[in-house]
Amino acid sequence: MLRFLSIILFFFASTFTLFSQDFHSSLEAASGQSVVHVGSYDWGACIDRITINTGHLVSPQAIAARDFKVNQILYPKKTNVGMEKGFLPVTDAFASDSQGNRITSPSNFITLLTDVHPLAENSNPFVSISFSSRFKPYYGYKISNKKLGISIQNLKGFVNESAAKFETDEFEYTFPAEQESKSDQKSQEEKVLLNYASYIPQAESSEKIPLILWFHGMGESGSNIYQVLFGTKTTALAEEKIQGSFPNGCAILAPQCPTGWLETTEKGPGNARVWAPVDKDAPANKVKKPINKLLKKLSLEKEKPRKDKVQFAAVSYYTEPVKNLLYIYLENHPQIDRDRIYVGGCSAGGYMTMNMMIEEPQLFAAAFPICEYYLDSKINPSKIEILAKKPLWFTYALNDDSVNPEDNSIPTIVRLNQANAENVHYSEFRNVVDLSGKYLLNPDAKKDDDEYGLPYEYPGHWSWIYVLNNDCRDGNLSLFEWLAKQKLNSKN
């Protein structure tokens, strides 16, 4: 998830101009401007290079990384007086063309390379703090080099080719008024605004294409849709490594929850909605069950046959808004095959995946919940029977200390198999480590050190890394190859 960022209380006046808050496939900085290139990595967004236009020719021999200073600046929405958040380390600097490619001749353009690592300092361009609504959603940057007389604060925009493939929009849903509240105009209108990102592959044939409905985790909730795309590398869904699993590509629809998918339709004290996963019966049952058992013995009553008790199913408050967004999206995109709509998500998004499969199973051909946060104890037997008829692929890590798979995925998989589920797969990992070979647990470790050569280890909750790198397999079949074979009313 995106890391929460602190603020250094150092104020200074500066002028900040951001001509675009969108992500582009490419940009060219005008004189006195910078273009920030943001990579989409396993751990989230990470600035990997900045290209500046100095407005005058600079010799390659005069350029040295040590002479550059990059301040990361936090700007309130209503003022251009910024707060210095910190410094972005520069690892290399060189003369370049406008797109950041190294050249050996004098140039107006200089490209700075920055540290790329899960622990890289100040590398996240997004403002991700508890009161971020008071600030612009992105940091600004002041690039200076006293030796070369450079001071650039105007940011032209951000570049990421994968994020640029997505269109962004918003959808407003109005809940129907409750019957007893129809006379009260205020009660009639309860609205939800969902931002969303979507991707449609370029058509290479007239055949219809499938759609993945993707649910982000809790850390990507809010109002900045780009946090959804970068927070857990959702951009990977539009890249060839995953798109190539589908003969004609696959559309992506990724809504953003303003609060959290875990907010439910149930209400508690003060008429506030309860958040899942919540076993609200548990505390009372610890007291009630022994008393009831004693009373039954004393009264010599015969125990009544157990019924399929309807547990607190923790239905997400956002079920109807998302369902209606999906319907509208399908109406506007007739090239999508309604028999091949898939749903997946991680953490709170894994909960939402399970929620949609339980509440609206007829909509989806298959689902792939990841480190899902839906308590197995809240899935009653009749719902298990419904889920057992659907293709499902679970992913989790055993050392997940945020969402214990022993309470969620594992017992649910067992119950599905007991219900004779015909198409249930799972990818179980001991922990979550880098499989690319690029990132080490301790890059400075020497050959004699115990940590030498060990891959970087992420929190156990981050098992979505394996999914979005297409590293989940069952024999010779990958998760997305399996997904591409699924179709409503099919037994593939």
Side-chain angles (χ1 to χ4, degrees):
M1 299 287 179
L2 293 173
R3 300 183 298 274
F4 286 98
L5 304 175
S6 60
I7 303 171
I8 298 174
L9 297 178
F10 175 75
F11 293 77
F12 65 92
S14 62
T15 301
F16 172 59
T17 303
L18 177 59
F19 292 101
S20 173
Q21 289 189 335
D22 293 327
F23 276 81
H24 304 265
S25 57
S26 65
L27 280 177
E28 181 173 321
S31 177
Q33 291 181 339
S34 66
V35 170
V36 176
H37 295 255
V38 181
S40 185
Y41 294 93
D42 288 342
W43 60 90
C46 182
I47 296 172
D48 44 38
R49 60 190 168 110
I50 299 175
T51 297
I52 61 174
N53 185 340
T54 65
H56 61 274
L57 292 176
V58 179
S59 168
Q61 290 73 29
I63 300 171
R66 64 179 177 275
D67 297 330
F68 282 91
K69 186 177 181 182
V70 179
N71 296 78
Q72 189 178 43
I73 313 299
L74 182 65
Y75 290 92
K77 283 185 176 179
K78 297 181 180 180
T79 178
N80 286 327
V81 177
M83 296 175 284
E84 182 180 317
K85 192 273 173 191
F87 299 98
L88 191 61
V90 178
T91 60
D92 195 6
F94 48 84
S96 71
D97 62 18
S98 63
Q99 301 305 305
N101 300 303
R102 190 188 296 263
I103 61 175
T104 57
S105 57
S107 176
N108 289 0
F109 297 97
I110 297 175
T111 292
L112 312 178
L113 299 187
T114 56
D115 193 18
V116 176
H117 190 272
L119 300 179
E121 291 184 63
N122 304 317
S123 62
N124 189 338
F126 300 111
V127 176
S128 185
I129 52 182
S130 59
F131 47 96
S132 61
S133 61
R134 293 171 49 191
F135 298 93
K136 295 177 182 178
Y138 302 96
Y139 288 102
Y141 298 90
K142 179 181 179 181
I143 299 99
S144 57
N145 183 321
K146 290 183 179 180
K147 287 187 178 180
L148 297 178
I150 294 172
S151 180
I152 293 175
Q153 299 171 201
N154 289 345
L155 175 59
K156 177 67 176 285
F158 297 93
V159 170
N160 180 286
E161 290 186 18
S162 295
K165 295 178 182 178
F166 286 82
E167 293 185 359
T168 61
D169 207 336
E170 59 184 28
F171 171 75
E172 185 175 77
Y173 177 76
T174 302
F175 283 93
E178 296 179 4
Q179 189 67 34
E180 63 271 19
S181 301
K182 285 187 175 180
S183 60
D184 184 351
Q185 185 63 30
K186 290 183 179 180
S187 298
Q188 288 184 38
E189 297 184 359
E190 187 172 352
K191 295 183 179 182
V192 167
L193 185 67
L194 297 176
N195 293 322
Y196 67 91
S198 64
Y199 165 77
I200 296 285
Q202 293 183 351
E204 296 184 1
S205 75
S206 59
E207 292 186 20
K208 291 195 172 187
I209 58 174
L211 168 74
I212 292 175
L213 176 62
W214 172 261
F215 292 117
H216 61 78
M218 183 62 73
E220 290 71 56
S221 298
S223 58
N224 183 358
I225 190 61
Y226 287 108
Q227 288 186 311
V228 172
L229 293 179
F230 286 92
T232 53
K233 204 169 76 168
T234 303
T235 52
L237 293 172
E239 295 173 2
E240 179 59 26
K241 196 171 184 180
I242 289 175
Q243 287 288 315
S245 299
F246 303 87
N248 297 300
C250 182
I252 311 297
L253 178 60
Q256 182 179 33
C257 185
T259 57
W261 303 121
L262 303 176
E263 189 174 352
T264 77
T265 56
E266 294 282 323
K267 291 187 176 181
N271 213 32
R273 282 188 290 271
V274 176
W275 282 56
V278 175
D279 189 350
K280 68 177 185 180
D281 298 327
N285 284 340
K286 287 182 179 180
V287 177
K288 290 192 298 183
K289 281 184 178 179
I291 295 175
N292 290 339
K293 190 174 181 180
L294 177 61
L295 291 174
K296 284 179 182 179
K297 283 185 178 181
L298 293 175
S299 63
L300 300 178
E301 288 185 53
K302 291 184 179 180
E303 189 171 341
K304 296 179 181 179
R306 290 186 65 183
K307 295 182 180 180
D308 184 3
K309 182 184 176 183
V310 180
Q311 291 113 315
F312 172 49
V315 179
S316 176
Y317 173 70
Y318 293 97
T319 303
E320 288 299 314
V322 166
K323 183 176 72 172
N324 281 271
L325 167 62
L326 177 60
Y327 283 148
I328 295 295
Y329 193 78
L330 293 174
E331 288 178 10
N332 293 333
H333 296 84
Q335 68 268 50
I336 294 175
D337 186 347
R338 296 192 180 208
D339 287 335
R340 290 188 294 160
I341 301 174
Y342 313 123
V343 58
C346 56
S347 189
Y351 154 79
M352 191 62 175
T353 298
M354 295 294 289
N355 171 81
M356 295 304 290
M357 287 298 285
I358 289 171
E359 300 303 317
E360 304 290 343
Q362 77 286 352
L363 290 176
F364 305 104
F368 56 107
I370 309 159
C371 53
E372 54 93 1
Y373 210 3
Y374 203 112
L375 283 172
D376 176 72
S377 63
K378 296 308 175 186
I379 306 177
N380 65 40
S382 65
K383 300 298 186 183
I384 286 289
E385 293 294 330
I386 293 173
L387 290 173
K389 297 175 183 177
K390 308 295 292 189
L392 298 165
W393 191 309
F394 295 81
T395 302
Y396 57 87
L398 292 173
N399 71 331
D400 186 339
D401 57 7
S402 295
V403 176
N404 187 352
E406 298 277 355
D407 296 326
N408 299 275
S409 298
I410 292 175
T412 298
I413 293 168
V414 170
R415 293 172 66 199
L416 288 170
N417 287 328
Q418 290 172 346
N420 299 315
E422 296 182 3
N423 197 349
V424 173
H425 301 257
Y426 66 93
S427 293
E428 179 181 279
F429 298 92
R430 183 176 64 85
N431 57 356
V432 182
V433 298
D434 172 65
L435 298 181
S436 70
K438 296 179 180 178
Y439 308 107
L440 300 175
L441 182 64
N442 183 359
D444 299 322
K446 308 300 180 183
K447 284 189 176 181
D448 295 335
D449 296 339
D450 292 339
E451 294 181 343
Y452 180 77
L454 293 180
Y456 185 85
E457 183 169 352
Y458 298 96
H461 187 47
W462 294 19
S463 52
W464 56 78
I465 288 176
Y466 292 124
V467 174
L468 294 172
N469 282 325
N470 205 9
D471 289 326
C472 295
R473 308 190 70 83
D474 189 353
N476 294 324
L477 190 67
S478 74
L479 187 159
F480 290 102
E481 289 170 341
W482 165 85
L483 196 66
K485 296 175 181 291
Q486 309 310 315
K487 192 171 184 178
L488 281 176
N489 304 317
S490 171
K491 292 188 177 181
N492 285 329

